[in-house]
Amino acid sequence: MKKITIAIDGHSSCGKSTMAKDLAREVGYVYVDTGAMYRSVTLFALRNGLFTADGIKEDELRRRMPEIKISFKFNAETGRPDTYLNGELVEKDIRTMEVSNHVSPIATLGFVREAMVAQQQQMGKDKGVVMDGRDIGTTVFPNAELKVYVTASAEVRAQRRYDELKAKGMEADYEEILKNVQERDYIDSHREVSPLRKADDAIELDNSNMTIAEQKQWLLDRFNEAVKK
């Protein structure tokens, strides 16, 4: 069976990563969580004092971008890949609200996106990859054989994010999360570099009222159709 590239784009907290991870495991593909990559850059910036009251120290971050190496390693216990920043496991660190509240401005920086896109394209050069993010089908892999654009209402996405954080034993406030989701939607859709938009040839999925099992089956069906073409 031929290997293809699968690009899954969409809003924050709409279940893209869960769908992508499940499909990759099901069909034996490599999964790349590009959102985790931008979160890792954000964590690096936070740890190194690159955020100030006036914004981001862009010149210093640009200078230090070559120091930032992101990789993924399969976790046999969870059955999913974990994110590593310069060899350090940061999967839990990058999911905090502090990182969530700072990631969008980092992701709007052209030099950050350029560096991350280069790493992503290298990861997917041999196909057989499932990648999710904001600009996979439009910028990273415009020739992907299967493109999916996932969306859901802001309220549904905030509730999912709230439930996810609580399940991990982390502090969570629904109203704060909803505000964060709405702000990220606006920033992601209005940034100058690679704004979030549906690719012309992408299949749209509104999963507001779907279970994870239903989403998983829907995506698997689209995959099976794509590999037969």
Side-chain angles (χ1 to χ4, degrees), residues 10-126:
H11 294 98
S12 66
S13 305
C14 63
K16 299 185 306 294
S17 297
T18 299
M19 291 174 68
K21 288 172 187 171
D22 286 346
L23 179 66
R25 188 170 63 235
E26 185 88 13
V27 302
Y29 275 26
V30 174
Y31 166 69
V32 178
D33 178 356
T34 64
M37 297 176 73
Y38 290 103
R39 284 175 172 271
S40 297
V41 177
T42 304
L43 181 65
F44 178 91
L46 285 165
R47 286 178 170 180
N48 288 277
L50 302 185
F51 283 96
T52 69
D54 300 320
I56 302 164
K57 296 179 181 177
E58 291 188 28
D59 290 342
E60 188 174 347
L61 179 58
R62 188 195 305 269
R63 181 176 59 79
R64 299 191 66 178
M65 282 306 294
E67 298 176 31
I68 302 174
K69 295 287 184 279
I70 299 155
S71 57
F72 297 92
K73 295 179 186 175
F74 187 74
N75 182 328
E77 200 172 293
T78 63
R80 293 181 170 175
D82 285 334
T83 310
Y84 286 75
L85 171 61
N86 297 330
E88 177 196 350
L89 175 62
V90 293
E91 186 62 38
K92 192 168 184 181
D93 305 70
I94 62 173
R95 307 296 175 185
T96 64
M97 279 307 297
E98 183 183 24
V99 169
S100 293
N101 287 330
H102 288 85
V103 67
S104 284
I106 287 284
T108 64
L109 297 173
F111 64 87
V112 172
R113 298 203 74 82
E114 189 178 322
M116 294 301 100
V117 167
Q119 289 192 33
Q120 291 155 16
Q121 289 174 332
Q122 184 63 28
M123 290 174 184
K125 68 183 190 317
D126 297 323

